[in-house]
Amino acid sequence: DADVTQTPRNRITKTGKRIMLECSQTKGHDRMYWYRQDPGLGLRLIYYSFDVKDINKGEISDGYSVSRQAQAKFSLSLESAIPNQTALYFCATSDLIEDEQFFGPGTRLTVL
Amino acid sequence: GQQVMQIPQYQHVQEGEDFTTYCNSSTTLSNIQWYKQRPGGHPVFLIQLVKSGEVKKQKRLTFQFGEAKKNSSLHITATQTTDVGTYFCAGQDSGTYKYIFGTGTRLKVLA
């Protein structure tokens, strides 16, 4: 959905490097999410935020951190990347009333 | 913790055949959503079910929420090549309000 953008779209990095993935939305939604997708494992929730001052761990938060800089921006950081963090990462947004999540195009991250 | 499983993991059908994917949660859900992800794309919302026993239809797609609010199904009648993709359910945990996605069912339709 063009209303939710992610940068970069593809990234190759090396073990031990710090990486930041960024998500921006123009939908005016309060809720934002970070997921990772691995083949056969579906989408797993990393972190979510229901408003600017709210940050919550998801199913698999170890090795990740997030920052909610503004209502429209939610960044995901890998402080020291490792190969098993190679995956497709999606950002999503939703609002309080209409619960459907709108996903960004995804970031394909490869850690060598 | 809460787990949401989907079966089957893969399904190949001939065009025109029906298709069903099943979603089962280890805990009672507040509601359940269904998403479709085309190959190379991102998940796109299809529908949300809230009530116990609820059935909703979208053209050839029929969605059902179990009486106990722990399972759901998506049925596609007379599949078309445009139905190709991975279908995910996502159940909302009643305590934390976060959604847990199922493992997905990848559908291939052979023309």
Side-chain angles (χ1 to χ4, degrees), chain B residues 14-50:
Chain B
Q14 288 291 137
E15 189 173 22
E17 291 182 338
D18 292 355
F19 159 77
T20 304
T21 174
Y22 299 91
C23 181
N24 293 288
S25 171
S26 58
T27 60
T28 302
L29 302 169
S30 297
N31 61 64
I32 196 157
Q33 298 178 339
W34 284 91
Y35 291 81
K36 176 183 179 180
Q37 183 178 22
R38 295 182 183 275
H42 58 273
V44 175
F45 176 83
L46 294 175
I47 208 162
Q48 178 169 289
L49 305 171
V50 178

Side-chain angles (χ1 to χ4, degrees), chain A residues 49-66:
Chain A
S49 169
F50 282 174
D51 64 45
V52 175
K53 296 181 181 179
D54 176 71
I55 300 289
N56 302 284
K57 292 183 177 181
E59 304 167 76
I60 52 164
S61 57
D62 287 348
Y64 301 94
S65 62
V66 291

